[in-house]
């Protein structure tokens, strides 16, 4: 359920995590995941609703060799960390 809402698409063998179109229910404005393991790497990430109602995903920390890509397909915006 968390993976679906937050749009987490882990590819452990490729040392990659995609965050695709993250969304939260209206009554939740902030979610932080800490020590999320992807393969041999770990990531801390925050999902926070902004004033305009959109959801921002922010990578707080990456441990190991992990590529993180945040994709908002409805806006065609892409951010790599």
């Amino acid at each position: 359920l968390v993976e679906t809402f937050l749009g987490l698409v882990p590819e452990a063998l490729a040392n990659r995590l995609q965050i695709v179109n993250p969304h939260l229910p209206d009554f939740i404005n902030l979610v932080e995941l800490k020590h999320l393991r992807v393969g041999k790497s770990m990531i801390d990430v925050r999902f926070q609703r902004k004033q305009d109602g959109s959801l921002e995903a922010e990578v707080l920390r990456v441990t190991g060799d992990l590529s993180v890509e945040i994709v908002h397909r409805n806006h065609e915006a892409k951010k790599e960390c």
Side-chain angles (χ1 to χ4, degrees):
L1 186 62
V2 171
E3 196 171 302
T4 300
F5 267 117
L6 300 179
L8 302 176
V9 183
E11 297 177 40
L13 296 177
N15 293 318
R16 184 171 137 173
L17 173 67
Q18 282 190 317
I19 301 172
V20 181
N21 288 339
H23 62 278
L24 292 172
D26 292 337
F27 60 91
I28 299 175
N29 292 318
L30 175 70
V31 170
E32 280 191 13
L33 299 177
K34 295 192 176 200
H35 309 291
L36 178 65
R37 186 168 289 283
V38 180
K40 294 181 179 182
S41 301
M42 287 196 308
I43 183 173
D44 294 349
V45 62
R46 174 187 299 139
F47 299 86
Q48 185 167 13
R49 193 173 317 282
K50 298 185 340 187
Q51 289 284 28
D52 66 3
S54 64
L55 191 65
E56 178 179 63
E58 178 184 2
V59 175
L60 303 174
R61 184 175 65 117
V62 175
T63 303
D65 184 28
L66 183 67
S67 169
V68 181
E69 182 180 26
I70 301 169
V71 180
H72 295 278
R73 289 200 178 130
N74 53 345
H75 302 292
E76 294 301 319
K78 193 185 246 188
K79 179 179 173 184
E80 291 195 31
C81 300

